[in-house]
Amino acid sequence: MFGLNRIIHINSIHTCWKTFSSIGKEANLKSVAEMGKRRGKWNKGERTQSKGGYPDIVRANEAFEEYYKAQGIVPEGEWDQFVSTLRENLPATFRITGFKRHAQQLLGFLKSHYFNELVDVKVEGLTIQKPYPLPWYPDELAWQLNLSRSNIRKIPALEKLHNFLITETESGNISRQEAVSMIPPLLLDVKPHHKVLDVCAAPGSKTGQLIEMLHADDSQTWPEGFVVANDSDNKRCYIMVHQAKRLNSPCVMIVNQDATVMPVIEVPDDKNDGEMKQLKFDRVLCDVPCSADGTLRKNYVVWKRWSVHNGFTLHPLQMNILTRGAELLEIGGKLVYSTCSFNPIEDEAVVGALLSRSKGAMELVDCSKDLPHLKRVNGLTKWKVLNENGKEFPNYEEVPFKNRRRIKESMFPPENAEDLHLERCIRVLPHQQNTGGFFIAVLQKTKGLPWMKEGKQSATTEVDESSDVKDEDGDGKRKATFRGPPSKRRHFEGYKEDPFIFFKEDEELWPPVRKFFGIPESFPNTQLLIRCETGKKRTIYFVNEAIKQIISNNQNKLKVINSGVRMFCRSNSPDVDCNFRLTQEGSSSLLPYVSNRLVYLTKNDVITLLTEENPFVHKMTEESRKQINDNGQGSLMFVYDPPQDTCPEENRIVVVGWRGKTSVRSFVSKGDRYHILRLCGVDVNTLVDKKTKPIKGAATTSKQNNDGDGDKDDEDIENDEDEEKLGDAEDGEDVMKDETEEDSLNETSEDAGEGVVNKDSKVTTDETNKEEDGLNKDAKDKIEADKPQL
């Protein structure tokens, strides 16, 4: 009986389930049908507005216009021009890497081979304006095309220019960057000996400028100063790795820290042997997260999402970042605070609050004579605090208590605003020079901040320094500051990074390498490092002395993502006495120290080396053949020194390669190879094989696309920093994501040919010889170089 009842009960449940399932299916089908009707109706009505099937974005926002009219950020009579410019697409801009020796030579090539061809070119009845240099950027190294990025990709007449920008960007000689984003590093005035901190650096365009300024003196092998590039987003730090590595500098390190609680860095005190001191920076760049309404011309979604609340939400974060930057600044040093926002709540209010609380320790610098051809307007000394309904609060006392959690006292104009000289701030408006919008303030530290004891901090007090209480009067009593509630200890995301292990004086790897390449004892071999504790050491990196001291003494408190330039890579060969070969990235730093394995080529030899796959030695000129044969098998450094009497405009060219039994080969990336060939006067568009495909050298590599469609995205050459600065943590991350970030993790490697056994040179190396360069496991898995076509 019990069993029968159970069977009946189970059958009843089964019957009910089938009934509900049937009802559910019918309901689902009905919902899908209705949804399809709605979707079809929407598409039918909206597709006519856009070729891509999506409705055109309405470039208008009534609240935006009313708010900024009330703020008075635009000079009288210019409002209509200001708004109409915001509704136009942003023109494309790029700059030539300034510290490269070939910058001026590349500029001349660009003018003669590309810009002159664009005179009076018409496309669909529209005359393409010839590119022109930004009048305020030094040495004509920054250029603007009054076309959007999509226009450049689609217009056939610009195909050669587009391909040029792609390959030169890959090699680090060109950087696609918005014009106004180039201003803050210029006003920071970095010198080769400066210690520089970029607190919100990703994706790294401004960081690249700072690195270039460090290397401005070509007479130095590497500068004394350095750049610490920080970002709180772990994933974006790896994008910075790609940006920084294009410049091949041993003077930069990328760290992953919360900028508001940036830890104290300790380094040895030169004046007191054996003592440690707190590192203070000569230059600090605070390009903080913001509402990004200055990027409306390229980030169209901001039109729809703009709100007064954006500024209220970001103001406390911006203040904390700026305050921490000021705390880490050396007395006499300069700090640049910048946003891509028009909002005075995010701009003058933040600067004014710091100036008021610093009690004269921080001062605004008058930059009116700097960059004289840059059109700008002065900062505001008065502005309005308005809610979403347009209601103005004359002062903080008028703010209802229910709104004080959002509206802070520091958002109001300081009573002594004129004494603080807030008019020295700079606001760039889009209609003035056909750019985006930007705000910049340059501050200088004249004395110690009142809430800190200068010179007394140590690494053991880093948490205390970043807390919500400070000793403002120096009397030992701890008082509350404006920082808000205490922050929790930050939990770092991402994978644990590999350690940085520096060479010791008796490092066993070093003597064979030093002897093989003829490197003198004067070379600072203790600045070489590896990234693995056990197993075979595959890659040797190099940093300058300052970076070494920071990493060696702060690995437990700093999350260092990447530092150092690759100088040697393992390349085991039974016929060679050295297990390491040279790298193209480290060639400029190592060349002054190398006395062996040098081969001086003619220009024709360089062209042969880079246009043929493993050319036979007998194809070289007689003098070059003699040098190659005298050196024997193994890694070589090929050098071309142009005769200055006949070719004064040309510069030295260095190519790293390998000498086999009967042939030679180069180890350079595709972008570098095309760059060098251009400098030699070769039209790289003519380099095709029998199948009319571009020739790939034995060690040529190519970036792969991570989009999942297998196609290379040509537009992935721009790294517009300001697209990344939207402060909304939930929405802004996706909205402002730069197009290039997904592809930027694919770091170009010169080791593509290492997995191939050359039948002439018999170089046997490991195909899996990827660098331990700080990329996490996911990022490493995404890196795959093109295999050479032999």
Short mmCIF file of all heavy atoms in Angstrom, two decimals, residues 35-81:
data_model
loop_
_atom_site.label_atom_id
_atom_site.label_comp_id
_atom_site.label_asym_id
_atom_site.label_seq_id
_atom_site.Cartn_x
_atom_site.Cartn_y
_atom_site.Cartn_z
N MET A 35 8.95 39.68 -28.37
CA MET A 35 10.21 40.40 -28.32
C MET A 35 10.77 40.58 -29.73
O MET A 35 11.30 41.62 -30.08
CB MET A 35 11.21 39.64 -27.46
CG MET A 35 12.54 40.37 -27.26
SD MET A 35 13.59 39.54 -26.04
CE MET A 35 13.77 37.93 -26.80
N GLY A 36 10.61 39.51 -30.55
CA GLY A 36 11.08 39.61 -31.93
C GLY A 36 10.32 40.67 -32.69
O GLY A 36 10.89 41.40 -33.49
N LYS A 37 9.00 40.76 -32.44
CA LYS A 37 8.21 41.79 -33.10
C LYS A 37 8.68 43.17 -32.69
O LYS A 37 8.84 44.06 -33.50
CB LYS A 37 6.73 41.62 -32.76
CG LYS A 37 6.09 40.38 -33.38
CD LYS A 37 4.63 40.28 -32.99
CE LYS A 37 3.98 39.05 -33.59
NZ LYS A 37 2.56 38.92 -33.18
N ARG A 38 8.90 43.32 -31.38
CA ARG A 38 9.36 44.63 -30.90
C ARG A 38 10.72 44.97 -31.47
O ARG A 38 10.98 46.08 -31.89
CB ARG A 38 9.41 44.64 -29.37
CG ARG A 38 8.06 44.60 -28.70
CD ARG A 38 8.19 44.98 -27.23
NE ARG A 38 9.04 44.04 -26.51
CZ ARG A 38 8.59 42.99 -25.87
NH1 ARG A 38 7.29 42.70 -25.90
NH2 ARG A 38 9.41 42.19 -25.21
N ARG A 39 11.60 43.94 -31.49
CA ARG A 39 12.94 44.19 -32.00
C ARG A 39 12.89 44.52 -33.49
O ARG A 39 13.56 45.43 -33.96
CB ARG A 39 13.81 42.95 -31.77
CG ARG A 39 15.27 43.17 -32.14
CD ARG A 39 16.12 42.01 -31.68
NE ARG A 39 15.64 40.76 -32.25
CZ ARG A 39 16.10 39.58 -31.89
NH1 ARG A 39 17.00 39.49 -30.94
NH2 ARG A 39 15.63 38.48 -32.46
N GLY A 40 12.07 43.77 -34.21
CA GLY A 40 11.96 44.04 -35.63
C GLY A 40 11.39 45.40 -35.90
O GLY A 40 11.83 46.12 -36.77
N LYS A 41 10.40 45.79 -35.11
CA LYS A 41 9.79 47.11 -35.27
C LYS A 41 10.80 48.20 -34.97
O LYS A 41 10.88 49.19 -35.69
CB LYS A 41 8.58 47.22 -34.32
CG LYS A 41 7.83 48.53 -34.46
CD LYS A 41 6.63 48.55 -33.53
CE LYS A 41 5.85 49.86 -33.66
NZ LYS A 41 4.70 49.88 -32.76
N TRP A 42 11.60 47.97 -33.90
CA TRP A 42 12.61 48.99 -33.55
C TRP A 42 13.66 49.11 -34.65
O TRP A 42 14.03 50.18 -35.07
CB TRP A 42 13.28 48.59 -32.23
CG TRP A 42 14.30 49.58 -31.77
CD1 TRP A 42 14.10 50.69 -31.01
CD2 TRP A 42 15.69 49.55 -32.04
NE1 TRP A 42 15.27 51.35 -30.78
CE2 TRP A 42 16.26 50.68 -31.40
CE3 TRP A 42 16.52 48.69 -32.76
CZ2 TRP A 42 17.63 50.95 -31.46
CZ3 TRP A 42 17.88 48.96 -32.83
CH2 TRP A 42 18.41 50.08 -32.18
N ASN A 43 14.08 47.92 -35.14
CA ASN A 43 15.10 47.95 -36.18
C ASN A 43 14.56 48.61 -37.45
O ASN A 43 15.26 49.36 -38.12
CB ASN A 43 15.56 46.54 -36.52
CG ASN A 43 16.47 45.97 -35.44
OD1 ASN A 43 17.09 46.73 -34.72
ND2 ASN A 43 16.54 44.65 -35.35
N LYS A 44 13.32 48.28 -37.75
CA LYS A 44 12.74 48.83 -38.97
C LYS A 44 12.68 50.34 -38.92
O LYS A 44 12.91 51.02 -39.91
CB LYS A 44 11.35 48.24 -39.18
CG LYS A 44 10.68 48.67 -40.48
CD LYS A 44 9.35 48.00 -40.64
CE LYS A 44 8.68 48.45 -41.95
NZ LYS A 44 7.36 47.80 -42.11
N GLY A 45 12.39 50.86 -37.74
CA GLY A 45 12.27 52.31 -37.64
C GLY A 45 13.58 53.02 -37.47
O GLY A 45 13.69 54.19 -37.78
N GLU A 46 14.62 52.29 -36.97
CA GLU A 46 15.87 52.97 -36.63
C GLU A 46 17.00 52.71 -37.61
O GLU A 46 17.96 53.46 -37.65
CB GLU A 46 16.31 52.53 -35.22
CG GLU A 46 15.33 52.88 -34.11
CD GLU A 46 15.22 54.37 -33.86
OE1 GLU A 46 16.13 55.11 -34.28
OE2 GLU A 46 14.24 54.80 -33.25
N ARG A 47 16.92 51.64 -38.37
CA ARG A 47 18.05 51.29 -39.22
C ARG A 47 18.33 52.34 -40.27
O ARG A 47 19.44 52.47 -40.76
CB ARG A 47 17.81 49.95 -39.92
CG ARG A 47 18.09 48.76 -39.05
CD ARG A 47 17.99 47.47 -39.83
NE ARG A 47 18.19 46.33 -38.97
CZ ARG A 47 19.37 45.81 -38.68
NH1 ARG A 47 20.46 46.38 -39.19
NH2 ARG A 47 19.47 44.75 -37.91
N THR A 48 17.32 53.07 -40.64
CA THR A 48 17.52 54.09 -41.66
C THR A 48 18.42 55.21 -41.17
O THR A 48 18.93 55.98 -41.95
CB THR A 48 16.17 54.69 -42.06
OG1 THR A 48 15.52 55.20 -40.88
CG2 THR A 48 15.27 53.63 -42.68
N GLN A 49 18.65 55.28 -39.85
CA GLN A 49 19.44 56.37 -39.33
C GLN A 49 20.93 56.09 -39.40
O GLN A 49 21.74 56.99 -39.30
CB GLN A 49 19.06 56.64 -37.87
CG GLN A 49 17.60 57.02 -37.70
CD GLN A 49 17.29 57.28 -36.26
OE1 GLN A 49 18.14 57.66 -35.47
NE2 GLN A 49 16.04 57.10 -35.89
N SER A 50 21.32 54.81 -39.51
CA SER A 50 22.73 54.47 -39.46
C SER A 50 22.99 53.25 -40.30
O SER A 50 22.21 52.32 -40.33
CB SER A 50 23.18 54.24 -38.01
OG SER A 50 24.51 53.79 -37.97
N LYS A 51 24.12 53.21 -41.01
CA LYS A 51 24.45 52.08 -41.86
C LYS A 51 24.67 50.82 -41.03
O LYS A 51 24.46 49.72 -41.50
CB LYS A 51 25.71 52.41 -42.67
CG LYS A 51 25.50 53.52 -43.68
CD LYS A 51 26.77 53.76 -44.47
CE LYS A 51 26.57 54.86 -45.50
NZ LYS A 51 27.80 55.12 -46.28
N GLY A 52 25.14 50.96 -39.80
CA GLY A 52 25.45 49.81 -38.99
C GLY A 52 24.25 49.18 -38.32
O GLY A 52 24.39 48.19 -37.62
N GLY A 53 23.07 49.73 -38.49
CA GLY A 53 21.90 49.15 -37.89
C GLY A 53 21.59 49.68 -36.52
O GLY A 53 20.71 49.16 -35.84
N TYR A 54 22.30 50.68 -36.05
CA TYR A 54 22.05 51.25 -34.74
C TYR A 54 21.63 52.71 -34.90
O TYR A 54 22.04 53.38 -35.85
CB TYR A 54 23.30 51.18 -33.86
CG TYR A 54 23.72 49.77 -33.55
CD1 TYR A 54 24.70 49.13 -34.31
CD2 TYR A 54 23.14 49.07 -32.50
CE1 TYR A 54 25.08 47.83 -34.03
CE2 TYR A 54 23.52 47.76 -32.22
CZ TYR A 54 24.49 47.15 -32.98
OH TYR A 54 24.86 45.87 -32.70
N PRO A 55 20.84 53.19 -33.98
CA PRO A 55 20.42 54.60 -34.10
C PRO A 55 21.59 55.54 -33.89
O PRO A 55 22.51 55.25 -33.12
CB PRO A 55 19.38 54.74 -32.97
CG PRO A 55 19.75 53.69 -31.98
CD PRO A 55 20.27 52.54 -32.79
N ASP A 56 21.58 56.63 -34.61
CA ASP A 56 22.60 57.65 -34.43
C ASP A 56 22.52 58.23 -33.03
O ASP A 56 21.44 58.47 -32.49
CB ASP A 56 22.42 58.79 -35.44
CG ASP A 56 22.69 58.31 -36.86
OD1 ASP A 56 23.46 57.35 -37.00
OD2 ASP A 56 22.13 58.90 -37.80
N ILE A 57 23.68 58.45 -32.43
CA ILE A 57 23.72 59.03 -31.09
C ILE A 57 23.39 60.51 -31.17
O ILE A 57 23.94 61.24 -31.99
CB ILE A 57 25.12 58.82 -30.47
CG1 ILE A 57 25.37 57.32 -30.28
CG2 ILE A 57 25.24 59.55 -29.14
CD1 ILE A 57 26.75 57.00 -29.77
N VAL A 58 22.48 60.91 -30.34
CA VAL A 58 22.08 62.32 -30.32
C VAL A 58 23.13 63.09 -29.54
O VAL A 58 23.32 62.88 -28.34
CB VAL A 58 20.69 62.48 -29.67
CG1 VAL A 58 20.32 63.95 -29.63
CG2 VAL A 58 19.65 61.67 -30.44
N ARG A 59 23.83 63.96 -30.20
CA ARG A 59 24.90 64.72 -29.56
C ARG A 59 24.32 66.00 -28.97
O ARG A 59 24.59 67.12 -29.44
CB ARG A 59 26.01 65.03 -30.55
CG ARG A 59 26.60 63.78 -31.18
CD ARG A 59 27.84 64.08 -32.00
NE ARG A 59 28.26 62.91 -32.76
CZ ARG A 59 29.38 62.84 -33.46
NH1 ARG A 59 30.20 63.88 -33.50
NH2 ARG A 59 29.69 61.75 -34.13
N ALA A 60 23.56 65.81 -27.94
CA ALA A 60 22.94 66.93 -27.25
C ALA A 60 22.55 66.49 -25.85
O ALA A 60 22.20 65.33 -25.63
CB ALA A 60 21.73 67.45 -28.02
N ASN A 61 22.63 67.43 -24.93
CA ASN A 61 22.21 67.17 -23.55
C ASN A 61 21.86 68.51 -22.93
O ASN A 61 22.74 69.35 -22.68
CB ASN A 61 23.33 66.47 -22.77
CG ASN A 61 22.87 66.03 -21.39
OD1 ASN A 61 22.35 66.81 -20.60
ND2 ASN A 61 23.09 64.76 -21.08
N GLU A 62 20.58 68.71 -22.72
CA GLU A 62 20.10 70.01 -22.23
C GLU A 62 20.68 70.34 -20.87
O GLU A 62 21.08 71.48 -20.61
CB GLU A 62 18.57 70.00 -22.17
CG GLU A 62 17.97 71.35 -21.77
CD GLU A 62 16.46 71.32 -21.77
OE1 GLU A 62 15.89 70.29 -22.22
OE2 GLU A 62 15.85 72.31 -21.32
N ALA A 63 20.77 69.34 -20.00
CA ALA A 63 21.32 69.59 -18.66
C ALA A 63 22.79 70.00 -18.74
O ALA A 63 23.24 70.87 -17.99
CB ALA A 63 21.17 68.34 -17.80
N PHE A 64 23.54 69.39 -19.65
CA PHE A 64 24.94 69.74 -19.85
C PHE A 64 25.09 71.20 -20.25
O PHE A 64 25.91 71.94 -19.70
CB PHE A 64 25.54 68.81 -20.92
CG PHE A 64 26.90 69.21 -21.41
CD1 PHE A 64 28.05 68.79 -20.76
CD2 PHE A 64 27.05 70.00 -22.54
CE1 PHE A 64 29.31 69.14 -21.21
CE2 PHE A 64 28.29 70.38 -23.01
CZ PHE A 64 29.43 69.94 -22.35
N GLU A 65 24.28 71.62 -21.23
CA GLU A 65 24.40 72.99 -21.72
C GLU A 65 23.99 74.00 -20.66
O GLU A 65 24.65 75.03 -20.48
CB GLU A 65 23.54 73.15 -22.98
CG GLU A 65 24.01 72.28 -24.15
CD GLU A 65 23.30 72.61 -25.43
OE1 GLU A 65 22.90 73.78 -25.59
OE2 GLU A 65 23.13 71.70 -26.27
N GLU A 66 22.92 73.73 -19.94
CA GLU A 66 22.48 74.66 -18.90
C GLU A 66 23.52 74.77 -17.78
O GLU A 66 23.78 75.86 -17.26
CB GLU A 66 21.13 74.21 -18.34
CG GLU A 66 19.98 74.33 -19.31
CD GLU A 66 18.67 73.85 -18.70
OE1 GLU A 66 18.70 73.36 -17.54
OE2 GLU A 66 17.62 73.97 -19.37
N TYR A 67 24.12 73.65 -17.43
CA TYR A 67 25.09 73.65 -16.34
C TYR A 67 26.31 74.49 -16.68
O TYR A 67 26.75 75.35 -15.89
CB TYR A 67 25.51 72.20 -16.04
CG TYR A 67 26.49 72.08 -14.90
CD1 TYR A 67 26.07 72.10 -13.57
CD2 TYR A 67 27.86 71.92 -15.14
CE1 TYR A 67 26.96 71.97 -12.53
CE2 TYR A 67 28.77 71.80 -14.11
CZ TYR A 67 28.32 71.83 -12.80
OH TYR A 67 29.21 71.72 -11.76
N TYR A 68 26.87 74.29 -17.88
CA TYR A 68 28.10 75.01 -18.21
C TYR A 68 27.85 76.44 -18.66
O TYR A 68 28.75 77.28 -18.59
CB TYR A 68 28.88 74.22 -19.27
CG TYR A 68 29.58 73.02 -18.66
CD1 TYR A 68 29.26 71.73 -19.05
CD2 TYR A 68 30.54 73.19 -17.66
CE1 TYR A 68 29.88 70.63 -18.48
CE2 TYR A 68 31.17 72.10 -17.08
CZ TYR A 68 30.84 70.83 -17.49
OH TYR A 68 31.45 69.75 -16.91
N LYS A 69 26.66 76.73 -19.10
CA LYS A 69 26.32 78.14 -19.31
C LYS A 69 26.33 78.89 -17.98
O LYS A 69 26.83 80.02 -17.88
CB LYS A 69 24.94 78.27 -19.98
CG LYS A 69 24.94 78.08 -21.48
CD LYS A 69 23.54 78.31 -22.05
CE LYS A 69 23.52 78.16 -23.55
NZ LYS A 69 22.15 78.38 -24.12
N ALA A 70 25.78 78.23 -16.96
CA ALA A 70 25.76 78.84 -15.64
C ALA A 70 27.17 78.99 -15.06
O ALA A 70 27.45 79.95 -14.33
CB ALA A 70 24.89 78.01 -14.69
N GLN A 71 28.06 78.06 -15.36
CA GLN A 71 29.41 78.13 -14.82
C GLN A 71 30.26 79.19 -15.51
O GLN A 71 31.25 79.66 -14.93
CB GLN A 71 30.10 76.76 -14.95
CG GLN A 71 29.44 75.64 -14.17
CD GLN A 71 29.54 75.84 -12.66
OE1 GLN A 71 30.07 76.83 -12.17
NE2 GLN A 71 28.99 74.90 -11.91
N GLY A 72 29.94 79.54 -16.72
CA GLY A 72 30.68 80.59 -17.41
C GLY A 72 32.09 80.17 -17.83
O GLY A 72 33.01 80.98 -17.81
N ILE A 73 32.26 78.90 -18.23
CA ILE A 73 33.59 78.44 -18.62
C ILE A 73 33.97 78.91 -20.02
O ILE A 73 35.15 78.92 -20.38
CB ILE A 73 33.68 76.91 -18.56
CG1 ILE A 73 32.72 76.26 -19.56
CG2 ILE A 73 33.41 76.40 -17.15
CD1 ILE A 73 32.93 74.77 -19.74
N VAL A 74 32.96 79.29 -20.84
CA VAL A 74 33.20 79.71 -22.21
C VAL A 74 33.13 81.24 -22.29
O VAL A 74 32.18 81.84 -21.75
CB VAL A 74 32.18 79.07 -23.17
CG1 VAL A 74 32.43 79.49 -24.61
CG2 VAL A 74 32.22 77.55 -23.04
N PRO A 75 34.10 81.90 -22.93
CA PRO A 75 34.04 83.36 -23.08
C PRO A 75 32.76 83.81 -23.76
O PRO A 75 32.15 83.08 -24.56
CB PRO A 75 35.27 83.67 -23.94
CG PRO A 75 36.21 82.53 -23.70
CD PRO A 75 35.33 81.33 -23.50
N GLU A 76 32.35 84.99 -23.44
CA GLU A 76 31.10 85.54 -23.97
C GLU A 76 31.15 85.61 -25.49
O GLU A 76 32.12 86.03 -26.09
CB GLU A 76 30.87 86.94 -23.39
CG GLU A 76 29.53 87.53 -23.74
CD GLU A 76 29.30 88.87 -23.07
OE1 GLU A 76 30.16 89.26 -22.24
OE2 GLU A 76 28.28 89.52 -23.37
N GLY A 77 30.05 85.17 -26.10
CA GLY A 77 29.93 85.20 -27.55
C GLY A 77 30.49 83.98 -28.26
O GLY A 77 30.41 83.90 -29.49
N GLU A 78 31.04 83.02 -27.53
CA GLU A 78 31.65 81.85 -28.16
C GLU A 78 30.89 80.56 -27.86
O GLU A 78 31.34 79.47 -28.24
CB GLU A 78 33.11 81.69 -27.70
CG GLU A 78 34.00 82.87 -28.05
CD GLU A 78 35.44 82.65 -27.59
OE1 GLU A 78 35.81 81.49 -27.33
OE2 GLU A 78 36.19 83.65 -27.50
N TRP A 79 29.75 80.66 -27.20
CA TRP A 79 29.04 79.45 -26.78
C TRP A 79 28.58 78.60 -27.96
O TRP A 79 28.77 77.37 -27.96
CB TRP A 79 27.85 79.81 -25.90
CG TRP A 79 27.07 78.59 -25.49
CD1 TRP A 79 25.92 78.11 -26.03
CD2 TRP A 79 27.45 77.66 -24.47
NE1 TRP A 79 25.53 76.95 -25.41
CE2 TRP A 79 26.45 76.64 -24.44
CE3 TRP A 79 28.51 77.57 -23.58
CZ2 TRP A 79 26.50 75.57 -23.57
CZ3 TRP A 79 28.56 76.51 -22.70
CH2 TRP A 79 27.56 75.52 -22.69
N ASP A 80 27.97 79.21 -28.97
CA ASP A 80 27.46 78.46 -30.12
C ASP A 80 28.60 77.73 -30.83
O ASP A 80 28.44 76.56 -31.25
CB ASP A 80 26.75 79.39 -31.09
CG ASP A 80 25.45 79.93 -30.51
OD1 ASP A 80 24.92 79.32 -29.56
OD2 ASP A 80 24.97 80.98 -31.00
N GLN A 81 29.74 78.38 -30.97
CA GLN A 81 30.89 77.74 -31.60
C GLN A 81 31.41 76.59 -30.75
O GLN A 81 31.81 75.54 -31.26
CB GLN A 81 31.99 78.77 -31.84
CG GLN A 81 33.16 78.23 -32.65
CD GLN A 81 34.24 79.27 -32.86
OE1 GLN A 81 34.13 80.41 -32.38
NE2 GLN A 81 35.29 78.90 -33.56
#
